[in-house]
Amino acid sequence: MPRALLLENIDPVAVELLSSAGYEVESLRGALDEADLAAALDGVHLLGIRSKTQVTRAVLERHPGLAAVGAFCIGTNQIDLVAAAAAGVAVFNAPYSNTRSVVELAIAEIISLARRLVDRDRALHAGTWDKSAAGSHEIRGRTLGIVGYGNIGSQLSVLAEALGMRVLFYDLEDKLALGNAEACGSLEELLERAETVTLHVDGRAGNAGLFGAEQFARMRRRSLFLNLSRGFVVDHEALREHILSGHIAGAAVDVFPDEPREQGDAFSSVLRGLSNVILTPHVGGSTQEAQYDIGRFVAGKLADYTRNGTTTLSVNLPAVALHGSSAARFALLHRNVPGVLARADALIGEHGLNVDGQVLATRGDLGYVVTDVNGDLPPAVLASLRALPETVRLTTFAQRP
């Protein structure tokens, strides 16, 4: 029976779906470091992780039997995607499933910071009745600046405008503005105009250190700051200094450069204890609805890939989906050079087989073709396909109904 390993407390629906697809599933609550992961992957065909487990080139090279990795989250920067593609390991993520959860947390934190609810809550818990409107504002009519206008940033734009906010955004790519949102020509322009700045950028290496002392200094005095994207994009020492100086009136941070590996571990940050600062333990997408949908979506992609060879929405392989059924199916991941498909089809024809259906797609240096044939695939055909100098991985599938 093929095996699947799920780490970091992935929703049980993933276990159910993969079990029903014929996998023996082991599910662990915490993340694993490189050495422990390498040891745990012996005999494993599918790996499921969230954001803390690092899937490195060394781990991938040690386990050629690993077929696919599912990132049960949005980001995939914790996986060496180039090494995975070179090893023929498909990677899938959940780019949409927790979008709404992150957006709702951002809206809740913007309102909480504007109303200084954190300070009011702490005062009452300490036994002090501090009923005052000082420093408390509505968000209606105020200007929100969104850095990163992808799935999360654009949806936040719509909800913020519905609440009466003016919305500015900045993105490295040319994005269509939704509603009345206005694109800024530079990050500096956004920082100088917005009263609340929220980061929703991806985990690419180029975003490391994106927001530091210079950017905080450019923000309007007494503005608000949120980061629900990646911990390494913000200089927390610089944020602390600008909060203590009063330049930044409040902040909400959900992600950190160094995060505890497991539930209950100690947490340390220079932002702890600051006035009007909300710290949450990377829970932007951690609602029951989002985690269920992520588990269902990614497990479904993994099962579909291993059952049919479908790579739709893979983040590192060409996207292919072949519908229909035939006597047998195989998928050939190969280096993208001329003539591979012709040679593969010639090998099939030499053994008296006919192609019933075939779909090819390319992506950079890789090509991926899924082929249905009208009879059983002889071992000699499979050996010849594997022997092609361009072959990266050949996968066969059970006889189709």
Side-chain angles (χ1 to χ4, degrees):
M1 180 179 289
R3 294 179 56 211
L5 174 64
L6 303 181
L7 305 177
E8 303 183 61
N9 202 28
I10 291 169
D11 193 273
V13 69
V15 178
E16 296 173 13
L17 288 172
L18 292 176
S19 296
S20 66
Y23 282 86
E24 177 187 340
V25 184
E26 180 182 6
S27 185
L28 303 178
R29 289 187 60 83
L32 296 178
D33 60 23
E34 185 178 64
D36 290 338
L37 178 63
L41 284 178
D42 288 340
V44 169
H45 302 84
L46 300 181
L47 172 65
I49 63 171
R50 293 179 71 185
S51 59
K52 293 186 177 64
T53 301
Q54 301 294 311
V55 182
T56 64
R57 178 180 295 272
V59 168
L60 292 164
E61 289 177 346
R62 179 171 163 177
H63 294 282
L66 185 66
V69 176
F72 286 73
C73 53
I74 294 177
T76 55
N77 58 294
Q78 71 277 37
I79 304 167
D80 189 329
L81 296 179
V82 174
V89 177
V91 178
F92 298 91
N93 69 335
Y96 313 112
S97 298
N98 68 0
T99 299
R100 180 67 181 207
S101 295
V102 177
V103 169
E104 287 190 4
L105 180 61
I107 290 290
E109 292 184 333
I110 291 168
I111 294 172
S112 296
L113 292 173
R115 296 294 300 272
R116 302 192 70 87
L117 296 184
V118 175
D119 292 343
R120 300 292 183 265
D121 174 74
R122 287 174 180 168
L124 275 187
H125 275 287
T128 301
W129 184 266
D130 182 17
K131 185 177 184 298
S132 171
S136 181
H137 301 278
E138 294 181 353
I139 65 169
R140 180 181 56 174
R142 299 176 74 82
T143 303
L144 175 66
I146 301 173
V147 182
Y149 205 65
N151 298 326
I152 293 173
S154 57
Q155 188 172 149
L156 174 59
S157 169
V158 172
L159 292 189
E161 187 174 323
L163 290 170
M165 301 190 80
R166 295 187 295 269
V167 178
L168 309 174
F169 70 90
Y170 172 72
D171 197 286
L172 292 176
E173 300 178 10
D174 189 13
K175 296 290 183 70
L176 175 67
L178 301 182
N180 295 312
E182 177 185 348
C184 291
S186 67
L187 176 59
E188 290 73 22
E189 178 191 351
L190 180 142
L191 298 180
E192 291 168 0
R193 295 176 59 190
E195 295 162 297
T196 297
V197 174
T198 181
L199 305 187
H200 300 284
V201 300
D202 62 29
R204 71 186 71 179
N207 285 331
L210 171 71
F211 222 91
E214 179 183 350
Q215 288 71 35
F216 286 119
R218 280 187 176 270
M219 289 174 62
R220 295 177 57 169
R221 179 168 175 77
R222 303 302 296 166
S223 53
L224 304 174
F225 174 80
L226 295 86
N227 182 23
L228 287 81
S229 59
R230 299 291 187 274
F232 62 78
V233 305
V234 175
D235 182 340
H236 284 188
E237 291 283 357
L239 175 57
R240 174 184 171 83
E241 293 174 5
H242 282 79
I243 291 173
L244 291 175
S245 72
H247 185 75
I248 302 298
V253 179
D254 186 51
V255 288
F256 303 87
D258 297 300
E259 297 182 356
R261 188 174 294 275
E262 293 192 26
Q263 182 101 354
D265 286 352
F267 167 71
S268 177
S269 171
V270 297
L271 303 176
R272 287 175 54 190
L274 297 182
S275 177
N276 205 30
V277 171
I278 301 172
L279 302 180
T280 50
H282 205 147
V283 295
S286 294
T287 61
Q288 292 185 21
E289 294 86 354
Q291 291 307 304
Y292 175 87
D293 200 43
I294 289 171
R296 179 196 58 78
F297 182 86
V298 179
K301 289 295 179 186
L302 293 173
D304 203 24
Y305 173 66
T306 58
R307 189 165 44 217
N308 301 309
T310 301
T311 52
T312 304
L313 292 184
S314 169
V315 297
N316 69 329
L317 297 187
V320 167
L322 178 59
H323 303 289
S325 62
S326 193
R329 170 175 290 190
F330 71 88
L332 180 66
L333 181 68
H334 58 275
R335 288 190 288 277
N336 183 21
V337 297
V340 176
L341 184 59
R343 291 200 296 277
D345 287 349
L347 288 171
I348 295 169
E350 289 172 3
H351 288 79
L353 295 171
N354 191 48
V355 173
D356 283 347
Q358 190 171 64
V359 178
L360 166 71
T362 61
R363 180 174 182 168
D365 297 332
L366 291 175
Y368 183 67
V369 59
V370 177
T371 303
D372 280 352
V373 295
N374 67 336
D376 293 338
L377 288 161
V381 171
L382 300 178
S384 297
L385 291 169
R386 289 193 176 94
L388 291 174
E390 297 86 5
T391 295
V392 175
R393 182 187 288 257
L394 176 69
T395 306
T396 59
F397 303 91
Q399 183 173 342
R400 306 174 60 77

